Amino acid sequence: MAPAKQHTVTVCTDCRITGTACRPGLKLLAHLNACLSKMDASANRDFAVEGTVCMAGCWRPCTIAFQASGKATYLFGDIEPDADIEALVEFAKLYGERPDGMTREAERPRGLGGKVLARIPASVLVSERSGERLQ
């Protein structure tokens, strides 16, 4: 059995407004999956790429999220499947290298400027009994 992927990239592939598949999202999903599968897995840059139903970014499509356990989650919008693919791959490399996933705007690829919809910090769970932090 293959080990689980450490990082997940989720692409919105279903349009809530039209009730149909989002063709640009499906195109982005296929293109990104092909590009990320060529990355160097030995550098902990292993990404699962998946599609999902509406990510509530309907007014800023295509919407895409980068997630990993113990890392900040990033939600991007206004992604153009052809024009932004290199910037997304570059961001994936940067995200994969960061232990906490955090990046500053100046570090992110220029093509993603103004396209961050949200950065959600990694959740930290605290055990009530011991006061111990869990991630």
Side-chain angles (χ1 to χ4, degrees):
M1 183 155 114
K5 300 288 186 179
Q6 184 176 356
H7 300 87
T8 303
V9 180
T10 307
V11 178
C12 186
T13 57
D14 187 56
C15 180
R16 177 176 55 126
I17 295 170
T18 64
T20 62
C22 173
R23 289 199 171 148
L26 291 169
K27 179 179 182 179
L28 177 61
L29 176 70
H31 198 181
L32 193 58
N33 195 27
C35 290
L36 291 180
S37 68
K38 296 175 186 171
M39 286 174 48
D40 181 9
S42 67
N44 279 335
R45 295 184 187 136
D46 52 334
F47 287 80
V49 182
E50 23 185 80
T52 190
V53 295
C54 184
M55 293 174 69
C58 303
W59 305 114
R60 300 206 40 203
C62 289
T63 308
I64 183 172
F66 286 78
Q67 303 167 290
S69 180
K71 291 188 174 191
T73 295
Y74 281 86
L75 180 65
F76 293 96
D78 296 324
I79 299 298
E80 298 177 39
D82 292 322
D84 294 328
I85 194 72
E86 288 181 29
L88 291 170
V89 171
E90 192 177 326
F91 179 78
K93 291 175 184 176
L94 178 64
Y95 186 74
E97 292 168 353
R98 297 293 168 91
D100 61 0
M102 297 291 280
T103 64
R104 294 187 318 265
E105 183 175 0
E107 297 173 310
R108 290 182 218 124
R110 200 172 275 220
L112 298 179
K115 297 183 179 191
V116 175
L117 302 181
R119 178 180 64 204
I120 304 160
S123 62
V124 177
L125 303 175
V126 178
S127 168
E128 289 183 26
R129 284 187 278 160
S130 67
E132 173 183 346
R133 293 179 90 181
L134 306 171
Q135 280 194 342

